[in-house]
Amino acid sequence: MDIEQAVTDIGNVEEVPGLPKAWRWSPMSRFVFSLAMDVDGCWAYQMNSIDAHDKGLARAVLTFARQHQLGRGSDARPLAVVPGFSYGTYQFDAVAAASPPVHGYHHGRNEDLNELVSAVFPAYQCEFRGDENLEVAVLRFKRMLRPTVITRPPVPYLRMRYENTKTGGGSVGPSRGFTTYDVLLRELSLLEDSPGSFVEFENLRGEVWNIEWNGSWLVNGTPQDCPPSESLAASALRCP
């Protein structure tokens, strides 16, 4: 497939200054799409942004993705991540790529192009375990990570289950499910004075913390004098 021709056919496309074989376009006022073709013309890397746009960041992400051939090929993982990225004052420390079945950027418009594009975005290492299957990758990419928002904070890899005897809140079943950092902090803050309550959470390395209140604090079975702090949670989740 001729990727360059397919991109040109989109319309209203301009070249990205300082980056060969790269183009950007805006399908509507809130969005800017940027795409760089691989050196052999057989694959491309696309970064989308909404509301806030930074041409320098987009160029840096596309350059990094192309250098590492991030997410290239049909055998690529649903979510791939390469650390070592930095740009300006942003706190991002990696670039991630979603595979064609995950992102669907050109689904319904140009299926052939869709199958030759990685959706790349600036990311944080704490957001990825590295073994995400297709179902998890779609959930994380489309509902949690907000990959098109360049001002976003980290969304750490976090699975949790909990029960609170005072509020009556709790998770369903014995398995830990994906949740967000703010939910973890909220449930930790509600534990005190709730005998029999607990919060159990897991980070990207599969490390598990179990925090209980039974008249005093227990963290992984060890008594603690103070309630778990936000810094403990951030450190456990390896947030930057």
Side-chain angles (χ1 to χ4, degrees):
M1 179 187 183
D2 188 334
I3 294 177
E4 181 173 357
Q5 185 61 54
V7 173
T8 302
D9 289 344
I10 293 172
N12 193 32
V13 174
E14 62 181 23
E15 294 184 352
V16 175
L19 189 61
K21 296 295 181 181
W23 305 269
R24 63 172 171 249
W25 65 99
S26 179
M28 58 186 70
S29 60
R30 296 182 63 199
F31 293 91
V32 173
F33 298 168
S34 303
L35 179 146
M37 193 166 63
D38 223 338
V39 291
D40 62 3
C42 295
W43 196 263
Y45 310 91
Q46 182 172 332
M47 175 179 163
N48 294 355
S49 59
I50 184 171
D51 293 332
H53 315 293
D54 187 324
K55 295 177 181 178
L57 175 64
R59 185 167 53 246
V61 168
L62 293 176
T63 299
F64 189 91
R66 185 156 65 183
Q67 288 173 345
H68 293 275
Q69 296 191 321
L70 192 52
R72 174 170 172 157
S74 58
D75 59 345
R77 297 202 62 86
L79 280 177
V81 60
V82 174
F85 175 80
S86 64
Y87 180 78
T89 59
Y90 294 95
Q91 297 301 304
F92 299 116
D93 59 8
V95 173
S99 66
V102 175
H103 65 72
Y105 275 178
H106 300 278
H107 178 65
R109 292 177 293 274
N110 190 328
E111 299 294 345
D112 291 337
L113 177 61
N114 191 78
E115 294 306 305
L116 299 176
V117 171
S118 297
V120 297
F121 56 100
Y124 302 90
Q125 294 181 62
C126 67
E127 297 175 322
F128 306 93
R129 181 164 173 162
D131 62 353
E132 289 86 353
N133 60 25
L134 180 60
E135 181 182 6
V136 169
V138 170
L139 170 67
R140 295 286 287 162
F141 181 79
K142 293 193 172 182
R143 298 183 59 183
M144 299 188 74
L145 292 176
R146 299 192 299 157
T148 60
V149 179
I150 63 173
T151 56
R152 69 185 184 89
V155 184
Y157 186 100
L158 166 61
R159 302 176 74 119
M160 184 178 89
R161 70 184 187 99
Y162 71 100
E163 183 175 350
N164 191 296
T165 59
K166 184 166 65 176
T167 66
S171 49
V172 178
S175 300
R176 293 181 287 272
F178 281 105
T179 190
T180 54
Y181 185 52
D182 61 315
V183 172
L184 171 63
L185 295 181
R186 182 193 70 204
E187 292 305 323
L188 288 175
S189 71
L190 293 172
L191 276 181
E192 194 164 11
D193 297 324
S194 304
S197 299
F198 73 91
V199 170
E200 180 183 275
F201 67 95
E202 173 188 350
N203 70 5
L204 74 167
R205 294 190 176 181
E207 299 165 335
V208 177
W209 279 259
N210 187 284
I211 300 171
E212 303 174 65
W213 170 265
N214 279 301
S216 61
W217 292 102
L218 286 175
V219 178
N220 287 347
T222 302
Q224 303 288 327
D225 294 329
C226 300
S229 64
E230 182 174 347
S231 61
L232 179 146
S235 176
L237 296 173
R238 303 185 178 272
C239 295

